[in-house]
């Protein structure tokens, strides 16, 4: 009996200790930095799926082939959980050597100590910052220090269905829309589309909430000269309400006057199936439209509605998360990789993104990609958010929330701006 | 004798040990840690500043928190009684002697094997304007004009209806099975005796079946209240808490605060408020059921 109990206890203990060790140990995916043959191994976390994911994998494979002394291991994480996973992993010392961040999320990651500045390894790796687009570089520079290597910008642009525009008599000889670049010009353009096209056709495909109408509002607000929604010291709400109202009012009318389909359940599909004349969204959809059979489309910057050219945009950037050892050899290798990815932006551009290095735009391989050159100049007029750590929260809990009500015609633009101001102030003072 | 007893105790302990360790590690320890969190400004990465009772003071003044708690409470009121009535009705249907008995059991139970995300996405498709089944059906039977659409998901009131309907459809199967087995345990002689005395079907239901189910109903009510307070996933998928956060439950606010806005201390404080609410409700329920003793 005694022996039986003893054996039982032992078995239990053993099985239990395996459970425990599975919980505590492991997960050091970073692995050892330098293996026997002097090769540097880098773990790389990305959030790309679909075409983006495939293009990044191509870049990683190419890089590994051409750099025998460095090996990058790509781990794809789900978009929705990426940032939470990155932050918690870095927090308990199991973060990757290289990561991806949107430039809008960068201030938050810097503030939490998740990512480090990278000027020293960049110098070691011979990165020349002058080869990057200055506008994109500014978005990743805080107090004179670089925190990320931008690999692209993905702005909000306009796509149009050539066939439908032609039917409405709005397609020029050059294959570009006949469109007067002004607020009124755009409305009369939509009006013509509405009159000339069959009733089932949507003049302007746009979602009815969240991202895309917000992006349009942000673009108009910036074109009017509106200066972000937070003050320069990032401590208080600073919406230029008059301009914000004007922009919101303009977008609201596009909905209420029926240029945009009400509550469109899938506005991407609407454009893709050829039942919408134009769509405004991010450049990342270029690849999708291209692979759609029978869709003849064109791409262009969004019109210049007001005084100055501007549009919404964000950037994918490569960052160096804080690691336990901060091995200089790894950090240098990571910078070599990041700069190489930016240099080979023509591969990354396949999904539609605009490469971060102007030199890539001159490459024949890039020029051979259709559409991209039609909007690549937008990179310099993208209006990025200020370096606030609360960007994502402000967007989701202040801007989306009240602007959505405006698009549904349940709140006046003026009320929305007042509510937004209060909400932003609350978020900032937390 | 004594040695035997000790041995038995030891044996019990050995069997209990794995459970106790896991329970301690994954329940007790996090709960203690959670209490600690409420006194700090705590990000996903690290403990920041000690703030004392500041988080609690803030919770009581925060309208968003009380709104979200109200939304969860509202959902409890919407879903719990309807759930119980529906489960009893379905059990009555399936309990009748008929050749369809097995069929009923299967179709009533099937939705509960789906994961919540699948159930919620199915609901989303069904209630979508333009393309969804519900509006198309209404068009077909001409209850809705051809060029009009009902926007189920973006009007607060309708969104609550959709959330409740999907939740009922998805979870009623489990309670249905419980009721069905309870009904089958009611002795046939009692029904026979009642019939001999000339009781009608309605009388039998109210006077015999329902009282017999009482203990079960009490348990289900409690479990259902707790489950409904924890509602999150289906709302997150169907409305995302909108419009204007009018369908956002407290769990979603806790999730947002902790994992999106990076304020674990404050999120932990909200969790403890919810914990206290549930504790009070459970205590109340326990007190009420034990006051009278068994009823049948």
């Amino acid at each position: 009996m005694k022996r039986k109990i003893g054996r039982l206890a032992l078995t239990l203990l053993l099985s239990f200790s395996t459970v425990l060790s599975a919980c505590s140990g492991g997960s050091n995916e970073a692995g050892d930095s330098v293996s026997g043959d002097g090769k540097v191994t880098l773990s790389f976390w990305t959030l790309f799926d679909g075409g983006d994911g495939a293009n990044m994998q191509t870049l990683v494979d190419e890089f590994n082939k051409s750099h025998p002394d460095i090996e990058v291991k790509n781990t794809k994480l789900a978009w929705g959980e990426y940032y939470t996973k990155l932050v918690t992993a870095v927090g308990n010392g199991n973060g990757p050597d290289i990561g991806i961040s949107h430039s809008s999320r960068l201030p938050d990651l810097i503030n939490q100590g998740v990512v480090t500045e990278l000027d020293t390894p960049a110098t070691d790796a011979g990165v020349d910052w002058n080869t990057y687009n200055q506008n994109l570089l500014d978005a990743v520079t805080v107090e004179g220090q670089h925190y990320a290597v931008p690999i692209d910008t993905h702005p909000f642009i306009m796509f149009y269905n050539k066939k439908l525009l032609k039917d409405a008599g709005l397609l020029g000889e050059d294959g570009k829309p006949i469109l007067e670049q002004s607020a009124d010009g755009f409305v009369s353009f939509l009006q013509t589309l509405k009159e000339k096209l069959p009733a089932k056709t949507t003049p302007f495909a746009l979602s009815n909430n969240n991202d895309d109408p917000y992006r349009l509002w942000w673009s108009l607000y910036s074109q009017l000269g509106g200066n972000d929604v937070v003050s320069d010291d990032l401590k208080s709400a600073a919406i230029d309400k008059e301009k914000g109202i004007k922009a919101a009012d303009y977008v609201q009318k596009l909905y209420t006057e029926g240029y945009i389909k009400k509550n469109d359940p899938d506005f991407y599909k609407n454009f893709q199936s050829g039942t919408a004349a134009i769509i405004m969204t991010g450049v990342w959809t270029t690849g999708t439209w291209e692979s759609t059979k029978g869709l003849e489309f064109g791409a262009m910057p969004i019109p210049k509605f007001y005084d100055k050219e501007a549009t919404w945009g964000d950037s994918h950037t490569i960052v160096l998360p804080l690691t336990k050892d901060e091995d200089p050899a790894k950090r240098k290798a990571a910078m070599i990789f990041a700069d190489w990815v930016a240099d080979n932006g023509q591969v990354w551009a396949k999904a539609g993104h605009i490469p971060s290095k102007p030199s890539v735009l001159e490459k024949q391989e890039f020029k051979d990609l259709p559409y991209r050159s039609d909007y690549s100049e937008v990179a310099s007029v993208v209006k990025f958010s200020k370096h606030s750590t609360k960007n994502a929260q402000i967007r989701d809990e202040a801007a989306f929330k009240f602007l959505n009500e405006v698009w549904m015609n349940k709140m006046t633009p003026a009320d929305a701006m007042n509510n937004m101001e209060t909400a932003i102030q609350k978020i900032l003072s937390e | 004798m004594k040695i035997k007893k000790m041995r038995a105790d030891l044996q019990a302990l050995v069997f209990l040990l794995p459970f106790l360790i896991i329970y301690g590690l994954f329940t007790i320890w996090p709960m203690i840690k959670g209490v600690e969190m409420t006194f700090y400004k705590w990000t996903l990465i690290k403990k920041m500043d000690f703030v004392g009772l500041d988080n609690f003071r803030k919770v009581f003044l925060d309208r968003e928190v009380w709104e979200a708690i109200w939304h969860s409470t509202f959902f409890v009121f919407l879903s719990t009684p309807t759930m119980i009535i529906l489960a009893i009705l379905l059990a009555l249907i399936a309990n009748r002697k008929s050749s369809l008995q097995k069929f009923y059991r299967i179709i009533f139970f099937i939705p509960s094997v789906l994961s919540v995300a699948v159930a919620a996405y199915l609901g989303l498709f069904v209630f979508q304007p333009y393309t969804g089944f519900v509006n198309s059906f209404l068009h077909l039977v001409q209850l809705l004009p051809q060029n009009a659409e009902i926007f189920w998901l973006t009007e607060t009131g309708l969104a609550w209806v959709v959330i409740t309907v999907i939740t009922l459809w998805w979870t009623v199967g489990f309670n249905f099975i419980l009721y069905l087995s309870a009904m089958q345990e009611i002795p046939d002689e009692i029904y026979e005796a009642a019939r001999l005395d000339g009781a009608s079907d309605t009388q039998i239901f109210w006077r015999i079946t329902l009282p017999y189910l009482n203990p079960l109903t009490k348990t289900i009510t409690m479990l259902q209240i707790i489950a409904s307070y924890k509602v999150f996933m289906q709302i997150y998928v169907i409305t995302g808490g909108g419009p204007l956060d009018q369908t956002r439950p407290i769990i979603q606010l806790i999730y947002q605060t902790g994992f999106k806005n990076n304020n674990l201390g404050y999120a932990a404080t909200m969790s403890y408020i919810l914990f206290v609410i549930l504790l009070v409700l459970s205590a109340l329920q326990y007190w009420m059921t034990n006051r009278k003793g068994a009823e049948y």
Side-chain angles (χ1 to χ4, degrees):
Chain A
M1 187 64 189
K2 226 179 207 166
R3 268 178 57 200
K4 251 188 192 166
I5 294 180
R7 215 184 296 159
L8 182 68
L10 196 69
T11 324
L12 280 172
L13 260 176
L14 277 178
S15 59
F16 206 64
S17 63
T18 38
V19 171
L20 283 184
S21 66
C23 299
S24 62
S27 78
N28 190 6
E29 284 148 37
D32 301 322
S33 78
V34 183
S35 52
D37 52 357
K39 199 172 190 179
V40 182
T41 310
L42 299 166
S43 61
F44 178 32
W45 282 11
T46 58
L47 42 62
F48 304 116
D49 51 23
D52 280 356
N55 292 330
M56 185 48 80
Q57 191 59 49
T58 311
L59 282 165
V60 169
D61 292 344
E62 283 285 311
F63 178 82
N64 286 339
K65 238 182 273 167
S66 56
H67 293 74
D69 50 341
I70 304 173
E71 193 188 358
V72 176
K73 286 183 176 159
N74 183 8
T75 309
K76 285 181 211 165
L77 294 162
W79 214 111
E81 297 144 23
Y82 173 79
Y83 285 105
T84 309
K85 280 204 175 143
L86 181 69
V87 170
T88 42
V90 171
N92 55 39
N94 293 319
D97 300 309
I98 318 174
I100 292 282
S101 169
H102 287 89
S103 57
S104 60
R105 295 296 293 251
L106 197 56
D108 189 27
L109 297 181
I110 296 170
N111 183 47
Q112 293 192 60
V114 175
V115 301
T116 61
E117 62 85 20
L118 38 74
D119 278 312
T120 316
T123 312
D124 291 348
V127 174
D128 179 3
W129 294 112
N130 292 321
T131 56
Y132 288 84
N133 178 306
Q134 194 56 46
N135 191 28
L136 304 193
L137 215 50
D138 289 343
V140 298
T141 311
V142 179
E143 287 165 4
Q145 285 185 308
H146 297 100
Y147 279 87
V149 178
I151 58 173
D152 69 33
T153 179
H154 41 273
F156 185 67
I157 63 162
M158 177 170 141
F159 299 95
Y160 51 93
N161 182 316
K162 285 187 176 169
K163 195 182 151 294
L164 291 174
L165 255 55
K166 202 174 189 177
D167 290 349
L170 288 172
L171 196 70
E173 293 289 310
D174 54 354
K176 306 220 157 107
I178 302 167
L179 163 64
E180 192 201 304
Q181 301 263 333
S182 70
D184 293 336
F186 183 66
V187 169
S188 62
F189 174 75
L190 292 178
Q191 183 60 34
T192 314
L193 286 171
K194 200 179 167 189
E195 283 164 9
K196 298 268 176 72
L197 295 174
K200 285 257 172 192
T201 311
T202 310
F204 182 5
L206 196 70
S207 72
N208 279 240
N209 57 21
N210 297 350
D211 291 291
D212 286 292
Y214 162 76
R215 289 168 182 149
L216 179 57
W217 173 80
W218 173 267
S219 305
L220 295 176
Y221 177 67
S222 305
Q223 290 195 358
L224 283 162
N227 185 31
D228 212 306
V229 292
V230 294
S231 63
D232 283 337
D233 64 2
L234 309 176
K235 291 206 172 94
S236 50
I239 309 184
D240 197 333
K241 278 197 264 181
E242 199 187 314
K243 288 166 182 153
I245 291 169
K246 194 171 172 188
D249 187 59
Y250 184 81
V251 180
Q252 188 188 40
K253 287 215 168 70
L254 299 180
Y255 288 98
T256 54
E257 286 172 17
Y259 300 122
I260 300 168
K261 184 172 174 180
K262 200 182 168 201
N263 262 308
D264 198 341
D266 196 342
F267 72 114
Y268 272 23
K269 207 158 270 168
N270 196 353
F271 183 74
Q272 200 172 10
S273 61
T275 50
I278 67 162
I279 188 173
M280 286 188 192
T281 187
V283 294
W284 54 84
T285 55
T286 305
T288 312
W289 313 141
E290 261 175 339
S291 58
T292 305
K293 267 194 192 136
L295 181 66
E296 277 177 63
F297 72 100
M300 63 181 276
I302 65 163
K304 188 169 167 249
F305 295 85
Y306 298 112
D307 302 341
K308 59 183 213 186
E309 274 185 75
T311 192
W312 174 93
D314 207 337
S315 282
H316 289 123
T317 69
I318 290 180
V319 290
L320 296 189
L322 190 74
T323 51
K324 265 188 221 150
D325 47 357
E326 292 297 289
D327 181 350
K330 277 187 161 196
R331 287 167 62 80
K332 181 184 166 194
M335 277 302 100
I336 292 173
F337 171 70
D339 199 41
W340 185 90
V341 170
D343 270 329
N344 288 279
Q346 73 280 359
V347 177
W348 191 233
K350 279 183 188 158
H353 309 293
I354 303 175
S356 58
K357 292 202 176 194
S359 60
V360 177
L361 306 181
E362 302 306 319
K363 288 189 185 180
Q364 196 54 44
E365 282 165 277
F366 178 79
K367 286 182 177 166
D368 287 345
L369 291 170
Y371 312 109
R372 276 79 179 167
S373 309
D374 296 333
Y375 57 74
S376 57
E377 82 256 28
V378 177
S380 300
V381 297
V382 167
K383 174 80 175 162
F384 292 101
S385 312
K386 280 190 189 146
H387 298 304
S388 167
T389 57
K390 313 261 179 146
N391 279 339
Q393 200 181 344
I394 287 173
R395 187 196 61 199
D396 292 354
E397 291 170 27
F400 282 2
K401 185 169 156 183
F402 298 109
L403 289 174
N404 284 348
E405 297 297 303
V406 176
W407 316 145
M408 284 197 282
N409 207 12
K410 286 184 183 168
M411 190 180 274
T412 65
D415 284 346
M417 289 306 127
N418 288 331
N419 282 324
M420 259 169 79
E421 190 177 40
T422 317
I424 292 169
Q425 191 57 56
K426 187 180 173 226
I427 290 167
L428 289 172
S429 34
E430 255 166 25
Chain B
M1 194 62 197
K2 239 185 189 170
I3 291 172
K4 235 182 189 173
K5 170 95 170 48
M6 264 173 69
R7 211 175 249 175
D9 282 352
L10 189 72
Q11 210 168 354
L13 194 70
V14 169
F15 278 111
L16 273 174
L17 208 62
F19 170 76
L20 286 178
I21 293 176
I22 290 184
Y23 189 70
L25 212 61
F26 295 109
T27 308
I28 305 294
W29 176 242
M31 278 181 80
I32 295 170
K33 206 72 184 160
V35 174
E36 189 195 352
M37 275 181 171
T38 61
F39 298 113
Y40 287 88
K41 192 170 164 38
W42 196 310
T43 69
L44 276 174
I45 288 202
K46 54 183 185 255
K47 190 147 84 170
M48 307 274 279
D49 316 313
F50 181 77
V51 293
L53 290 172
D54 226 36
N55 281 330
F56 286 95
R57 195 181 51 85
K58 235 170 78 186
V59 160
F60 285 103
L61 299 174
D62 193 338
R63 237 188 69 211
E64 285 195 342
V65 175
W66 293 104
E67 261 184 28
I69 288 180
W70 161 242
H71 294 148
S72 296
T73 313
F74 180 64
F75 180 71
V76 170
F77 283 124
L78 273 181
S79 65
T80 309
T82 42
M83 170 71 76
I84 288 166
I85 294 169
L86 193 64
I88 293 178
L89 280 178
L90 295 182
L92 279 176
I93 294 172
N95 195 33
R96 273 198 321 221
K97 302 214 165 23
S98 98
S99 54
L100 289 172
Q101 226 179 22
K102 278 207 178 110
F103 173 73
Y104 285 137
R105 272 185 227 184
I106 292 169
I107 59 160
F108 294 156
F109 188 71
I110 273 185
S112 30
V113 303
L114 297 176
S115 84
V116 55
V118 173
Y121 273 107
L122 281 176
L124 202 59
F125 282 127
V126 169
F127 286 98
Q128 200 71 263
Y130 302 105
T131 50
F133 166 78
V134 175
N135 278 5
S136 309
F137 179 76
L138 292 176
H139 284 149
L140 191 74
V141 298
Q142 300 192 334
L143 277 173
L144 190 67
Q146 280 307 325
N147 50 6
E149 292 289 334
I150 298 178
F151 299 114
W152 293 97
L153 308 164
T154 44
E155 302 287 336
T156 311
L158 292 177
W160 276 119
V161 171
V162 172
I163 292 163
T164 311
V165 167
I166 290 169
T167 309
L168 288 180
W169 168 74
W170 167 56
T171 52
V172 77
F174 186 69
N175 292 334
F176 152 74
I177 288 289
L178 292 181
Y179 272 118
L180 186 64
S181 61
M183 277 181 196
Q184 284 171 347
E185 272 177 24
I186 302 174
D188 273 344
E189 302 89 70
I190 297 182
Y191 284 120
E192 271 167 36
R195 283 215 185 81
L196 280 177
D197 290 342
S200 68
D201 278 358
T202 343
Q203 276 172 325
I204 289 177
F205 174 72
W206 288 106
R207 300 285 170 83
I208 297 175
T209 314
L210 213 52
Y212 256 98
L213 298 176
N214 239 347
L216 178 64
T217 304
K218 281 174 183 163
T219 313
I220 290 185
T221 310
M222 197 61 241
L223 293 176
Q224 200 53 49
I225 289 175
I226 293 174
S228 299
Y229 258 113
K230 294 200 290 191
V231 65
F232 167 57
M233 190 67 179
Q234 58 269 51
I235 296 185
Y236 193 73
V237 171
I238 294 165
T239 66
L244 270 185
D245 296 339
Q246 286 308 299
T247 59
R248 178 172 65 183
I250 181 69
I251 301 284
Q252 189 184 339
L253 184 61
I254 292 171
Y255 162 74
Q256 266 179 354
T257 310
F259 295 102
K260 286 181 99 176
N261 304 341
N262 210 2
N263 193 346
L264 290 185
Y266 196 43
T269 312
M270 287 182 212
S271 309
Y272 273 91
I273 300 279
L274 181 65
F275 176 68
V276 169
I277 292 176
L278 291 178
L279 203 66
V280 169
L281 282 174
S282 310
L284 216 65
Q285 158 83 5
Y286 184 78
W287 174 70
M288 283 195 334
T289 43
N290 284 285
R291 201 175 33 157
K292 281 196 200 160
E295 278 179 1
Y296 60 96

